[in-house]
């Protein structure tokens, strides 16, 4: 069966091929309404589907971007992806989403695959271990934006939470509620910047309140060891009274332990989590959390990448954009 071409649509609508092309690219500025309607009717009647590959070769753009997340299980990651998709939809861009599992090898394969597919740019939650590859993209002026993390000495803009402030808000709230023996648990993935910054913010908040830092109250653990780490902190001669969960997956492990041991929140252990979770408001008791502005982070990252793709000026090519956290006070302290 003969494939319908743009010439067939033009002939059927009684317009030129260039007019059909302008319609397909949504350039309607000087197009009469009845012309638009004829082209639309012709496309429907002839069941015309544009050749995306041919269009991308002609326009030197696939109208597609890649998003490589570190771990798609994080609530934060899915919210950021949703926000990026919303922004791209406004500009008729499509998304290819990849999950790197915080594995540098997997990340490298996905970057290579996306570039082979000629996506116009990449939003990347970097593992931090592919520095040569990141620098190669910078040297080639390939559009790329980091999210959630920075990589030292790599000149790629990053959009992320003000992590020190986020941990500081939580610790300050604990202190105002009368707690002094405050622990922090983060799940360890090498030394990625958010984890380290949150521990720094935790320490600074304690110091500014004259509370000594106890290294036994600080745990960087793999997910499957978090419950055992919490048990250690609760078994100390001076056990913790409160704990800050460094992210949503850590919070869930802490809550599993609390349930298993029959502990009462906040009587036996006060809890604050960084990252909102869908059940925080109706968990019993409702959980105090430090919320990341996930949708704003995704929107800003998409805006920066689309500006780079469209060769518009980005405010500062090497800037790191730090967005403010928000403490949502509930009943877990």
């Amino acid at each position: 069966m003969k494939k319908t071409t743009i010439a067939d649509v033009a002939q059927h609508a009684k317009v030129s091929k260039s007019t059909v092309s302008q319609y397909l690219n949504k350039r309607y500025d000087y197009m009469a309404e009845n012309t638009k309607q004829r082209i639309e009717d012709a496309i429907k009647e002839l069941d015309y589907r544009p050749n995306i590959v041919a269009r991308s070769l002609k326009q030197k753009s696939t109208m597609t971007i890649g998003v490589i997340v570190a771990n798609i299980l994080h609530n934060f990651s899915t919210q950021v992806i949703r926000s990026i998709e919303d922004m791209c939809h406004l500009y008729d861009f499509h998304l290819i989403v990849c999950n790197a599992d915080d594995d540098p090898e997997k990340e490298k394969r996905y970057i290579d695959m996306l570039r082979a597919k000629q996506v116009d740019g990449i939003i990347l939650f970097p593992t931090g271990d592919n520095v040569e590859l990141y620098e190669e993209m910078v040297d080639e002026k390939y559009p790329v934006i980091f999210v959630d993390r920075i990589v030292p000495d790599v000149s790629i803009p990053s959009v992320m939470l003000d992590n020190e402030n986020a941990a500081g808000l939580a610790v300050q709230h604990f202190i105002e509620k009368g707690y002094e023996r405050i622990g922090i648990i983060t799940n360890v993935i090498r030394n990625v910047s958010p984890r380290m910054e949150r521990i720094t913010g935790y320490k600074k908040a304690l110091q500014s309140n004259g509370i000594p830092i106890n290294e036994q109250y600080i745990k960087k653990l793999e997910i499957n060891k978090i419950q055992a780490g919490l048990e250690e902190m609760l078994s100390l001669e001076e056990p913790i009274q409160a704990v800050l969960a460094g992210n949503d997956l850590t919070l869930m492990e802490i809550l599993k332990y609390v349930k298993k041991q029959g502990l009462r929140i906040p009587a036996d252990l006060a809890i604050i989590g960084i990252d909102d979770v869908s059940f925080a408001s109706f968990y019993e008791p409702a959980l105090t959390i430090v919320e990341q502005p996930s949708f704003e982070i995704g929107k800003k990252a998409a805006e920066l990448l689309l500006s780079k793709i469209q060769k518009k000026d980005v405010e500062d090519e090497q800037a790191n954009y730090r967005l403010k956290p928000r403490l949502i006070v509930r009943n877990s302290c």
Side-chain angles (χ1 to χ4, degrees):
M1 187 174 175
K2 183 174 175 288
K3 186 175 174 63
T4 304
T5 66
I6 196 170
D8 298 326
V9 174
Q11 186 178 14
H12 195 86
K14 296 183 172 56
V15 297
S16 67
K17 287 197 294 183
S18 65
T19 303
V20 176
S21 179
Q22 286 174 346
Y23 175 88
L24 293 171
N25 289 305
K26 298 187 178 181
R27 295 198 291 267
Y28 308 134
D29 295 353
Y30 303 104
M31 196 176 293
E33 281 301 319
N34 66 337
T35 303
K36 284 168 64 177
Q37 192 60 54
R38 290 205 312 275
I39 296 170
E40 186 180 327
D41 292 343
I43 287 169
K44 284 180 183 173
E45 287 174 35
L46 299 175
D47 194 25
Y48 172 69
R49 290 179 175 83
N51 186 327
I52 301 297
V53 174
R55 281 177 69 191
S56 67
L57 286 171
K58 188 174 181 181
Q59 296 174 3
K60 294 188 169 72
S61 170
T62 58
M63 300 298 285
T64 305
I65 69 166
V67 180
I68 305 176
V69 297
N71 187 340
I72 207 162
L73 292 175
H74 285 294
N75 194 47
F76 169 72
S77 300
T78 54
Q79 289 176 347
V80 170
I81 291 166
R82 173 58 197 269
S83 180
I84 293 169
E85 195 275 334
D86 286 346
M87 275 298 294
C88 288
H89 180 70
L90 290 175
Y91 291 90
D92 287 324
F93 271 75
H94 305 288
L95 247 62
I96 299 175
V97 178
C98 308
N99 174 47
D101 276 328
D102 270 306
D103 178 347
E105 268 303 311
K106 202 172 176 185
E107 176 188 65
K108 184 181 184 305
R109 287 201 304 272
Y110 277 136
I111 291 172
D112 291 342
M113 177 273 288
L114 289 168
R115 297 202 64 187
K117 288 184 179 294
Q118 297 186 324
V119 301
D120 295 333
I122 294 173
I123 293 174
L124 176 64
F125 296 56
T127 63
D129 285 9
N130 284 304
V131 172
E132 283 186 22
L133 192 53
Y134 310 147
E135 289 176 339
E136 185 182 302
M137 291 189 283
V138 172
D139 292 342
E140 293 173 10
K141 293 185 165 46
Y142 181 77
V144 58
I145 300 291
F146 286 160
V147 166
D148 190 44
R149 301 169 180 181
I150 54 174
V151 179
D153 303 320
V154 176
S155 302
I156 293 175
S158 182
V159 186
M160 60 196 299
L161 180 68
D162 183 344
N163 289 294
E164 285 192 19
N165 188 12
L169 284 174
V171 172
Q172 191 62 43
H173 185 68
F174 279 138
I175 292 167
E176 287 169 3
K177 288 287 185 179
Y179 302 101
E180 291 192 359
R181 299 198 302 276
I182 301 163
I184 182 171
I185 303 178
T186 64
N187 66 306
V188 63
I189 308 163
R190 296 174 303 282
N191 285 328
V192 296
S193 45
R195 312 304 194 264
M196 305 313 294
E197 290 171 359
R198 288 171 194 181
I199 290 172
T200 299
Y202 158 89
K203 288 180 175 179
K204 283 182 177 178
L206 290 177
Q207 287 171 329
S208 66
N209 284 276
I211 297 173
I213 293 165
N214 184 338
E215 293 295 335
Q216 291 180 296
Y217 294 169
I218 300 169
K219 298 281 186 184
K220 294 176 282 184
L221 301 166
E222 293 172 11
I223 285 288
N224 61 359
K225 294 177 180 171
I226 285 171
Q227 293 189 43
L230 178 58
E231 184 162 24
E232 280 179 24
M233 290 199 284
L234 289 169
S235 303
L236 293 168
E237 192 172 318
E238 290 189 293
I240 58 168
Q241 303 161 314
V243 65
L244 173 59
N247 61 23
D248 54 349
L249 299 183
T250 301
L251 175 63
M252 285 188 266
E253 289 302 307
I254 289 169
L255 294 175
K256 285 177 194 173
Y257 178 84
V258 164
K259 184 176 180 183
K260 192 170 20 176
Q261 299 299 322
L263 300 179
R264 297 163 300 157
I265 304 171
D268 298 321
L269 182 67
I271 297 172
I272 298 177
I274 297 178
D275 289 343
D276 202 0
V277 287
S278 59
F279 56 82
S281 61
F282 56 83
Y283 190 86
E284 188 54 47
L287 301 171
T288 294
I289 57 100
V290 179
E291 181 184 61
Q292 291 207 58
S294 309
F295 289 97
E296 290 88 342
I297 287 171
K299 182 174 184 285
K300 183 67 176 178
E303 286 174 346
L304 289 170
L305 188 70
L306 292 170
S307 291
K308 275 177 166 276
I309 289 167
Q310 293 160 1
K311 296 188 168 48
K312 295 178 183 174
D313 288 337
V314 176
E315 301 126 73
D316 183 344
E317 284 287 340
Q318 299 176 27
N320 293 319
Y321 300 87
R322 299 273 185 176
L323 278 68
K324 290 182 179 178
R326 182 167 70 105
L327 180 71
I328 299 177
V329 177
R330 297 192 179 106
N331 305 319
S332 58
C333 298

